[in-house]
Amino acid sequence: MNPALIIAENLTKFYGDSPALRDLTLEIRRGEIFGLLGPNGSGKTTAIRLLLGFLRPTAGRASVAGFDCWRRGVEVRRLVSYMPGELRISGSMTGFGVLDFLSGLRDGDGLDRAVAIAETVMGLDLGRKVRKYSTGMKQKLALALAFADPTEILILDEPTSALDPSARADVLQLIREAREQGQTIIFSGHVLSEIEAVCDRVAILRRGRLVHVEDMAARRRLRMLLARFSGDTLPPIPEELELSIRRPEGTAWLFEHRGALGPLLHWLAAVDVQDVAIGTEDLRALYDQYHGPGAADDEDGAGNEDEEPSP
Amino acid sequence: MRPFFTLAGKLLRDSRWSLIFSALALFALGWLFVHVASLNETRILKTLSAAPGEKARAFRWMRDMGLEDAPSSTAIMMAFWNHPFIVLVVAIWAIGRGAGAVGAEIERGSLDLVLSRPISRWSYLAAQAMVATAGLLAIAGSLAAGALLASWYNVLRVPPDGLELVRPALNLAALGFSIYGYTLLFSSIDLVRWRPTMIGSVLTLGGFIARVIALIPIFKDAVWRPWAERFSIFSLYNPVDAVTGREVYSFDVTVLTALGASCVGLAFLFFTTRDLPANG
């Protein structure tokens, strides 16, 4: 297992009396794609801004490659390329001017690659003024810069929100290539299918708290089994099957299965099963456990999830 | 250092049109005031060279005008440098740059993009302050340049030399620097542009009005008059004193510069330690 590159320890941020993030403790390993999931106001953006050194933690600490994010912000940002949700910059500059300026703030590194990505992958006309770009084109420009930066870490905040489907696919491919080149990626977003497609691990935030971290490789191995047996009792389940009961579903049982398929099928053939369905479970089901209509309220349920605390 | 100069270059490019316009406006005014001073002097000299009876009447008229000491051409010209339009141009530049440095960038969301690169907040604000100060010097310098160039083409009794015009120009730049300083201070703790702009404008306008009221003769003996004068930075802008070599000039420039530098220093302190929340 790769060592942790990004560490948050009890990271907490309050704006006045309003909590934006509470006791976030997690480690992001070198070379992984780490997803941040949660609705608006769940603390994703606050967590990212704490990592970039834009915010001073109310309690706890965050570090990147051993550098404290608040005290050693410049060293941290030397290792990090950040793509905000929306590119907001002087519209009087051309696309090339924006790339030239922003790569100039990193000693000019990555300009050639950014131009290549912007022109060939993103299909942008860099001679045009940015004010004439659509929102999607601006996002592509920011993405071209982010993927070109020669940094160890890439933080993408809703990187595909304004893109068309084919551009989204290109971006997901660029994310995979970045990981192959050894970059560590934090991918914050709302599109569950995209996060599911590329992330190695996913953290779910709810009202400023980390409520779940999911290993996506394990999740991809997960099968859901719905079976109805004759008789009132469940047949005994051999331990080596890695089969666990999630809940009863009427007269049937819903199981989670993480093992090999062969032994499971042998077991099903041996017991008196009346009806069976095997499938997978997407990230939506997990997400809905925390943010769906029937999600349990916690002690902070009084707050409105969709409202970001104001500084 | 490349990131710093990249940022400074961009700031300069972004503000080039307002800088060019301001500098040209003051250059033209500098020229105009020399021309007016020249016309006045020519008229006086013409009167003096008239008939003897006329000459006596002209001297009486000059005494009435308080011109017995025959101030230099430059001192007469400097009286025009108190024109509100000159102060207005400098104040607009100073308030615009000050309010735009932090609050406006947060409001627009563009600060995130710049500060997500490996550039410190200190460098960011230093680049802002450097461009604003250079702009103030350029604007004040263009007023002096306009006056100097005009003195070659207009007849003056005692034409100013270049160095003589540097002192009032520095006084004007120092005035602008103090306005920039307190506007930047408010901008460094804010999230929007309008508030530091409003505070900077109110303070500047208030100071100007206080100075004007303090100069009205009927308030000469009012107890509040010295306070109104003391708390107006405009009482420290005295271009006539600057060219007549009075000691108060150094005091004026020093206090204005110190005020601006203190505010800029505080702005650095606040900006480098504050939170930068997302906006929009």
Side-chain angles (χ1 to χ4, degrees):
Chain A
M1 186 182 290
N2 285 336
L5 184 62
I6 300 167
I7 298 172
E9 295 168 289
N10 301 112
L11 194 59
T12 301
K13 182 66 192 174
F14 276 69
Y15 291 122
D17 293 333
S18 306
L21 192 70
R22 281 182 290 185
D23 292 323
L24 177 70
T25 297
L26 60 81
E27 293 187 351
I28 299 174
R29 296 188 282 268
R30 196 179 290 274
E32 77 172 331
I33 305 178
F34 192 87
L36 279 179
L37 265 182
N40 296 334
S42 59
K44 303 186 303 291
T45 302
T46 300
I48 289 174
R49 300 184 80 79
L50 283 161
L51 289 178
L52 289 167
F54 289 174
L55 302 174
R56 182 205 291 261
T58 307
R61 69 186 289 271
S63 66
V64 170
F67 295 115
D68 184 278
C69 292
W70 174 250
R71 292 187 179 84
R72 307 285 299 275
V74 175
E75 285 87 347
V76 167
R77 293 193 297 274
R78 198 162 280 135
L79 299 171
V80 175
S81 179
Y82 167 64
M83 199 224 83
E86 197 182 330
L87 181 72
R88 297 183 183 179
I89 198 150
S90 167
S92 61
M93 296 172 90
T94 62
F96 178 80
V98 170
L99 296 181
D100 186 36
F101 166 59
L102 290 172
S103 62
L105 295 179
R106 204 181 278 283
D107 285 327
D109 296 339
L111 177 61
D112 293 342
R113 187 166 145 74
V115 169
I117 293 173
E119 286 183 337
T120 56
V121 182
M122 305 296 185
L124 293 174
D125 175 3
L126 294 179
R128 277 174 73 181
K129 300 266 187 196
V130 171
R131 77 164 71 93
K132 291 180 180 168
Y133 278 17
S134 66
T135 310
M137 290 162 87
K138 285 182 193 169
Q139 190 158 32
K140 286 178 178 178
L141 191 66
L143 280 164
L145 187 77
F147 284 114
D149 279 338
T151 56
E152 283 191 50
I153 299 161
L154 197 52
I155 297 180
L156 305 172
D157 193 0
E158 299 181 25
T160 58
S161 58
L163 300 184
D164 56 69
S166 59
R168 284 173 184 232
D170 290 339
V171 170
L172 296 184
Q173 185 54 34
L174 283 169
I175 290 174
R176 291 190 191 96
E177 286 174 16
R179 177 181 46 189
E180 282 163 20
Q181 288 160 13
Q183 280 186 297
T184 305
I185 298 143
I186 296 179
F187 184 163
S188 166
H190 296 292
V191 186
L192 298 177
S193 59
E194 291 176 354
I195 292 205
E196 192 166 23
V198 295
C199 287
D200 299 312
R201 285 194 301 151
V202 172
I204 298 178
L205 293 162
R206 174 183 160 87
R207 292 182 185 138
R209 283 192 191 280
L210 176 67
V211 290
H212 188 90
V213 178
E214 182 74 0
D215 183 330
M216 294 305 288
R219 185 163 192 83
R220 286 181 198 111
R221 287 198 302 272
L222 176 71
R223 283 185 204 89
M224 303 308 291
L225 173 74
L226 187 68
R228 184 180 298 112
F229 303 94
S230 50
D232 294 335
T233 54
L234 261 178
I237 302 169
E239 260 185 38
E240 62 271 18
L241 273 190
E242 295 185 62
L243 188 69
S244 57
I245 299 167
R246 175 166 302 175
R247 61 175 180 266
E249 291 270 345
T251 57
W253 294 87
L254 184 65
F255 298 92
E256 289 181 11
H257 178 247
R258 295 176 192 272
L261 194 57
L264 176 70
L265 293 174
H266 276 113
W267 177 72
L268 285 171
V271 298
D272 192 6
V273 62
Q274 287 188 330
D275 201 2
V276 68
I278 299 176
T280 55
E281 188 182 61
D282 62 14
L283 199 54
R284 161 65 62 187
L286 179 67
Y287 184 81
D288 283 347
Q289 284 178 33
Y290 301 100
H291 295 292
D297 231 349
D298 56 18
E299 77 275 17
D300 306 300
N304 183 352
E305 220 165 35
D306 290 333
E307 286 179 8
E308 184 102 27
S310 299
Chain B
M1 287 302 277
R2 179 172 172 184
F4 176 83
F5 287 111
T6 301
L7 182 59
K10 194 237 177 210
L11 294 173
L12 206 54
R13 269 196 307 280
D14 285 351
S15 57
R16 65 188 184 278
W17 292 115
S18 64
L19 179 60
I20 289 170
F21 178 78
S22 304
L24 281 178
L26 289 205
F27 182 90
L29 275 178
W31 185 295
L32 180 69
F33 293 152
V34 170
H35 183 64
V36 172
S38 165
L39 285 181
N40 270 351
E41 280 190 0
T42 309
R43 207 171 117 216
I44 292 166
L45 290 174
K46 204 169 157 188
T47 310
L48 287 176
S49 61
E54 286 289 313
K55 211 178 266 183
R57 224 174 56 208
F59 275 121
R60 254 198 325 275
W61 173 72
M62 280 180 65
R63 271 200 298 276
D64 291 344
M65 295 281 288
L67 293 176
E68 271 178 311
D69 295 338
S72 73
S73 304
T74 314
I76 292 172
M77 193 200 312
M78 284 303 118
F80 295 116
W81 280 35
N82 276 311
H83 195 284
F85 189 79
I86 289 179
V87 176
L88 184 72
V89 170
V90 170
I92 286 174
W93 169 264
I95 293 170
R97 293 310 310 167
V102 178
E105 295 280 347
I106 292 179
E107 185 178 26
R108 198 163 39 178
S110 45
L111 191 64
D112 280 8
L113 212 53
V114 173
L115 288 184
S116 68
R117 321 300 285 177
I119 185 161
S120 66
R121 295 189 195 187
W122 199 96
S123 300
Y124 172 83
L125 211 55
Q128 289 276 3
M130 190 182 84
V131 169
T133 308
L136 284 169
L137 289 170
I139 290 170
S142 67
L143 179 66
L148 184 65
L149 208 63
S151 69
W152 299 344
Y153 296 95
N154 290 276
V155 179
L156 287 171
R157 197 160 34 90
V158 188
D161 63 44
L163 282 176
E164 208 176 359
L165 293 172
V166 167
R167 288 161 60 94
L170 275 179
N171 196 180
L172 181 63
L175 175 75
F177 185 62
S178 65
I179 296 172
Y180 173 75
Y182 57 67
T183 310
L184 180 71
L185 176 57
F186 289 105
S187 178
S188 70
I189 54 175
D190 216 321
L191 298 170
V192 290
R193 179 179 207 130
W194 69 265
R195 209 163 18 223
T197 303
M198 188 189 72
I199 294 171
S201 303
V202 166
L203 286 175
T204 306
L205 199 60
F208 188 74
I209 290 171
R211 169 73 168 153
V212 170
I213 290 175
L215 288 176
I216 296 175
I218 54 169
F219 296 129
K220 198 176 68 180
D221 299 323
V223 284
W224 49 264
R225 198 195 66 83
W227 292 98
E229 215 164 356
R230 202 167 296 157
F231 284 104
S232 170
I233 54 168
F234 291 91
S235 61
L236 299 169
Y237 173 55
N238 297 298
V240 178
D241 289 346
V243 292
T244 51
R246 287 171 59 180
E247 281 175 16
V248 72
Y249 163 77
S250 305
F251 175 79
D252 291 348
V253 172
T254 305
V255 172
L256 285 171
T257 308
L259 174 67
S262 307
C263 290
V264 169
L266 282 174
F268 270 87
L269 183 67
F270 291 141
F271 181 62
T272 51
T273 53
R274 67 168 287 184
D275 280 342
L276 298 175
N279 206 10

